[in-house]
């Protein structure tokens, strides 16, 4: 009898460990290149009797030119990603209207009337470009001023450059980004302490610990959406509302019912009459629960309602997920796209289908839990929606393992933001004006420290994203003269890993999904 093949899980774990080893080797080679450049520049500076340590950039490039070059390059990349996503979403909208000829009409595809992204794209470009340029300038300045290279330089430069967050005029978006960075900084600090055997969280070794964290975050977010919608950013409220199948007047009635307030029966009747529903259950002013006939007036079957909600969500969100997967990869990895355009396109479709299926299942399960509660109990309670959000989050198991932790760290800041708002509203925490700006700056200082001095503590996709997108010239050789054996070997590794484009996309595509803040409504 032939020996059985190794389990699929063992193969995937081996591939994951191999990718992580490749990432560590690549980082080590890049660090070796930087040290070689510094050693060469140090020798040149020593020859000129200069006491300050050399800068990262080549000796033939001035500090000012280096900073401006990074600023311009990152601004153009950021601007291009945002505009590209807007154009692709506009194209999907025209296709949905079956206006296929309009795809070739630039006036309809990219007109200012229908594609209002110029101001937002500029703000995003100024945020990323401003941070990159000012960070490099400050690093060079601190080297010359302090006459030494120390971790404090990276912290100070990152913190001061973090004030580029002021390029965004929306305080809600700034707060969300600051809380997201706080979660990432906590992840780096924990990994650093764990690697040094200083601290270890109980349960961190659990196989589905990331899914549990995602479930807890989603429970808070969905509770806030139903019971305390003002605690969520307006754009995020609109996104959840448009994605789900339940109308806003119904959620308001559910909210009033759970709080024991009088329900606006006239508003509900107006909504039901507007959608052509006349045979609905007459509501009292103080009902014990809002029935299913009001939750989904379009059908009397709860099962049909869940199926319809799932399929409708898929149709609504697939264009968005495809755009967020495809456009950033093309802009940031143009060479890989030109090498294998059809494969990249196919992998983007597969990734978008999987992610859209996850979100669609989330909506269907949430609606199913709400209907099941109404079949079993005769009174409503606000905790039902917290529990429904947690159970719905189990749909994250449809995503690849590598993405679950990233999704958890994406939703967690929104949950913390909502909880923070509720506690401040109840006067349990003080209100601090522009706190999100200072929090973002402090977190960027910490992130840049870990990037430069303990890069192994960062998630691989985040480390690669910052080096490629925010600090795109940090790890790039400055000239042909610096292409040593390590540089050749580094590119040999890239050539060896080209056939595993799908695996690399699993890690990279999640980073692209984290830029959802650049899309109104996300």
């Amino acid at each position: 009898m032939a020996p059985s093949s190794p389990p699929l899980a063992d193969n995937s774990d081996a591939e994951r460990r191999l990718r992580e080893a490749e990432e560590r080797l690549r980082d080590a080679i890049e660090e070796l290149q930087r040290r070689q450049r510094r050693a060469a520049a140090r020798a040149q500076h020593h020859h000129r009797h200069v006491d300050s340590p050399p800068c990262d950039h080549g000796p033939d490039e001035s500090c000012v030119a280096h900073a401006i070059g990074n600023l311009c390059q990152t601004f153009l990349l950021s601007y291009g990603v945002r505009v590209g996503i807007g154009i692709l979403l506009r194209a999907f909208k025209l296709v949905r209207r079956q206006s296929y000829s309009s795809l070739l009409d630039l006036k309809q595809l990219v007109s200012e009337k229908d594609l209002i992204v110029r101001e937002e794209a500029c703000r995003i470009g100024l945020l990323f470009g401003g941070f990159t340029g000012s960070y490099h300038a400050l690093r060079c300045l601190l080297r010359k001023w302090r006459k030494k290279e120390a971790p404090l330089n990276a912290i100070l430069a990152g913190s001061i450059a973090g004030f580029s967050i002021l390029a965004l005029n929306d305080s809600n978006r700034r707060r969300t980004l600051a809380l997201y960075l706080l979660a990432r900084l906590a992840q780096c600090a924990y990994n650093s302490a764990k690697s040094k055997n200083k601290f270890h969280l109980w349960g961190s070794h659990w196989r589905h610990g990331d899914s549990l964290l995602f479930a807890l975050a989603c429970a808070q977010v969905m509770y806030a959406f139903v019971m305390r919608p003002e605690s969520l950013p307006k754009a995020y409220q609109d996104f959840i509302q448009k994605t789900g199948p339940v109308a806003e007047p119904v959620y308001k009635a559910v909210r009033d019912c759970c709080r024991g307030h009088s329900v606006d029966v006239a508003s509900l009747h107006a909504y039901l009459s507007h959608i052509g529903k006349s045979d609905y259950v007459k509501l009292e002013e103080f009902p014990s629960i809002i029935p299913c006939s009001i939750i989904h007036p379009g059908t009397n079957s709860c099962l049909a309602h869940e199926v319809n909600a799932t399929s409708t969500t898929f149709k609504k969100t697939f264009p968005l997920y495809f755009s967020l997967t495809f456009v950033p990869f093309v802009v940031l990895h143009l060479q890989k796209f030109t090498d294998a355009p059809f494969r990249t396109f196919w992998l983007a479709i597969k990734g978008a289908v999987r992610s859209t299926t996850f979100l669609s299942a989330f909506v269907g399960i949430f609606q199913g839990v709400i209907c099941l509660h109404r079949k079993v109990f005769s009174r409503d309670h606000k905790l039902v929606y917290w529990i429904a959000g947690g159970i719905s989050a189990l749909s994250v198991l449809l995503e690849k393992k590598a993405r679950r932790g990233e999704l958890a760290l994406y939703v967690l800041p929104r949950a913390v933001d909502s909880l923070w708002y509720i506690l401040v509203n109840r006067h349990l925490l003080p209100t601090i004006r522009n706190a999100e700006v200072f929090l973002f700056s402090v977190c960027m200082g910490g992130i840049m420290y870990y990037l430069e001095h303990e890069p192994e503590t960062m998630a691989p996709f985040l480390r690669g994203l910052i080096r490629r997108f925010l600090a795109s010239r940090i790890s790039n050789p400055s000239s042909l003269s610096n292409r040593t054996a390590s540089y050749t070997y580094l590119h040999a590794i890239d050539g060896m890993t080209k056939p595993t484009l799908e695996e690399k996309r699993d890690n990279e595509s999640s980073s692209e999904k984290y830029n959802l803040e650049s899309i109104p409504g996300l």
Side-chain angles (χ1 to χ4, degrees):
M1 183 176 180
S4 59
S5 59
L8 209 58
D10 293 345
N11 290 341
S12 61
D13 289 342
E15 291 175 357
R16 178 177 55 80
R17 289 194 295 270
L18 179 60
R19 290 196 301 270
E20 291 176 353
E22 290 173 351
E23 289 287 344
R24 289 193 295 269
L25 180 58
R26 183 178 289 105
D27 290 338
I29 293 175
E30 290 173 352
E31 179 63 25
L32 178 60
Q33 290 175 352
R34 285 194 292 272
R35 291 184 179 182
Q36 290 172 342
R37 290 197 299 272
R38 288 173 182 174
R42 189 177 292 111
Q44 183 175 359
H45 278 251
H46 179 73
H47 178 71
R48 296 177 181 176
H49 305 286
V50 178
D51 295 330
S52 59
C55 297
D56 283 334
H57 55 82
D60 297 333
E61 184 180 24
S62 68
C63 297
V64 175
H66 180 66
I68 294 177
N70 274 279
L71 187 153
C72 295
Q73 182 178 355
T74 308
F75 177 88
L76 292 175
L77 282 174
S78 309
Y79 188 93
V81 168
R82 180 61 189 95
V83 172
I85 290 174
I87 292 175
L88 195 54
L89 288 175
R90 173 63 179 164
F92 272 110
K93 189 174 182 179
L94 293 175
V95 170
R96 186 176 295 173
R97 294 177 180 175
Q98 297 184 351
S99 179
Y100 304 109
S101 60
S102 301
L103 296 175
L104 302 177
D105 186 356
L106 290 180
K107 186 176 182 180
Q108 295 191 48
L109 185 63
V110 296
S111 66
E112 289 291 336
K113 178 181 178 182
D114 300 309
L115 190 67
I116 310 175
V117 298
R118 184 170 57 187
E119 179 184 354
E120 185 180 359
C122 285
R123 289 186 179 277
I124 293 172
L126 288 174
L127 166 61
F128 294 144
F131 174 84
T132 303
S134 57
Y135 177 77
H136 284 291
L138 288 166
R139 285 301 308 275
C140 293
L141 178 63
L142 288 171
R143 286 190 192 99
K144 298 180 184 303
W145 178 46
R146 303 187 70 217
K147 299 187 182 303
K148 64 179 180 178
E149 182 66 273
L152 184 60
N153 290 7
I155 296 174
L156 288 176
S159 298
I160 298 174
F163 283 99
S164 60
I165 189 67
L166 291 171
L168 300 181
N169 60 348
D170 186 353
S171 61
N172 289 326
R173 184 172 294 183
R174 295 199 300 258
R175 184 168 61 250
T176 300
L177 285 174
L179 290 172
Y180 169 68
L181 278 184
L182 180 62
R184 285 296 177 181
L185 182 59
Q187 181 190 35
C188 293
Y190 172 72
N191 289 339
S192 176
K194 184 178 179 180
S195 65
K196 299 172 184 176
N197 294 322
K198 293 183 178 179
F199 183 71
H200 181 72
L201 279 177
W202 176 80
S204 61
H205 61 284
W206 292 353
R207 182 179 179 184
H208 296 296
D210 47 8
S211 301
L212 177 61
L213 179 61
F214 181 76
L216 293 174
C218 286
Q220 172 62 28
V221 167
M222 295 311 297
Y223 167 82
F225 172 71
V226 177
M227 299 304 304
R228 299 296 298 268
E230 69 278 4
S231 67
L232 294 174
K234 182 64 169 62
Y236 197 53
Q237 293 180 45
D238 294 341
F239 172 72
I240 298 178
Q241 185 66 61
K242 292 176 181 178
T243 303
V246 181
E248 195 277 333
V250 177
Y251 277 124
K252 184 178 184 304
V254 169
R255 189 159 52 249
D256 292 336
C257 176
C258 290
R259 292 173 176 172
H261 299 168
S262 61
V263 173
D264 189 353
V265 178
S267 176
L268 268 183
H269 288 178
Y271 159 70
L272 295 172
S273 299
H274 175 71
I275 64 174
K277 183 71 174 178
S278 57
D279 56 338
Y280 50 83
V281 177
K282 300 298 181 182
L283 280 177
E284 302 174 357
E285 190 174 357
F286 293 92
S288 60
I289 194 169
I290 304 298
C292 286
S293 60
I294 304 297
I295 298 292
H296 48 83
T299 176
N300 294 325
S301 170
C302 293
L303 180 60
H305 169 64
E306 275 86 70
V307 172
N308 181 64
T310 303
S311 61
T312 303
T313 301
F314 190 95
K315 295 176 183 177
K316 288 179 181 178
T317 56
F318 177 78
L320 177 63
Y321 270 111
F322 179 77
S323 303
L324 293 172
T325 303
F326 182 69
V327 174
F329 185 83
V330 171
V331 175
L332 300 177
H333 306 278
L334 185 60
Q335 182 61 45
K336 295 179 182 177
F337 173 70
T338 54
D339 291 341
F342 295 105
R343 180 176 175 80
T344 303
F345 188 79
W346 170 244
L347 292 177
I349 292 178
K350 285 178 62 178
V353 167
R354 189 163 192 165
S355 297
T356 307
T357 302
F358 142 69
L359 183 60
S360 303
F362 183 99
V363 174
I365 295 172
F366 185 81
Q367 297 300 319
V369 173
I370 291 176
C371 288
L372 179 62
H373 169 255
R374 280 155 174 73
K375 297 294 184 184
V376 178
F377 300 97
S378 58
R379 293 192 64 84
D380 206 354
H381 196 278
K382 58 185 179 181
L383 287 181
V384 171
Y385 305 96
W386 193 94
I387 296 172
I391 295 176
S392 303
L394 295 177
S395 62
V396 78
L397 296 174
L398 296 174
E399 278 282 13
K400 287 184 178 293
K401 175 68 175 176
R403 298 183 185 177
R404 296 173 195 169
E406 311 306 331
L407 286 170
L409 290 176
Y410 171 68
V411 180
L412 181 61
R414 297 187 182 279
V416 173
D417 187 17
S418 169
L419 183 61
W420 180 283
Y421 177 91
I422 293 173
L423 294 177
V424 169
N425 187 256
R426 293 182 178 179
H427 304 290
L428 297 176
L429 288 176
T431 302
I432 304 176
R433 187 178 181 182
N434 294 325
E436 74 281 356
V437 176
F438 295 98
L439 179 60
F440 182 88
S441 299
V442 171
C443 290
M444 281 308 308
I447 289 291
M448 298 312 294
Y449 162 78
Y450 283 109
L451 175 68
E452 296 210 10
H453 297 279
E454 298 184 44
E456 68 280 357
T457 63
M458 301 182 70
F461 97 88
L462 181 63
R463 183 172 63 244
L465 179 69
I466 294 178
R467 285 180 172 172
R468 176 67 184 90
F469 197 58
L470 297 183
S472 54
R473 298 175 63 174
I474 284 181
S475 58
N476 293 340
S478 59
S479 66
L480 293 174
S481 61
N482 292 323
R483 295 188 177 184
T484 61
S486 62
Y487 177 82
T488 305
Y489 187 63
L490 178 62
H491 281 259
I493 291 179
D494 290 335
M496 291 165 58
T497 57
K498 278 184 181 179
T500 60
L501 180 60
E502 182 173 2
E503 285 81 358
K504 293 177 70 178
R505 291 267 308 155
D506 294 338
N507 287 333
E508 290 170 350
S509 61
S510 57
S511 67
E512 291 140 13
K513 289 182 182 180
Y514 270 105
N515 275 334
L516 298 185
E517 293 306 320
S518 63
I519 305 296
L522 294 185

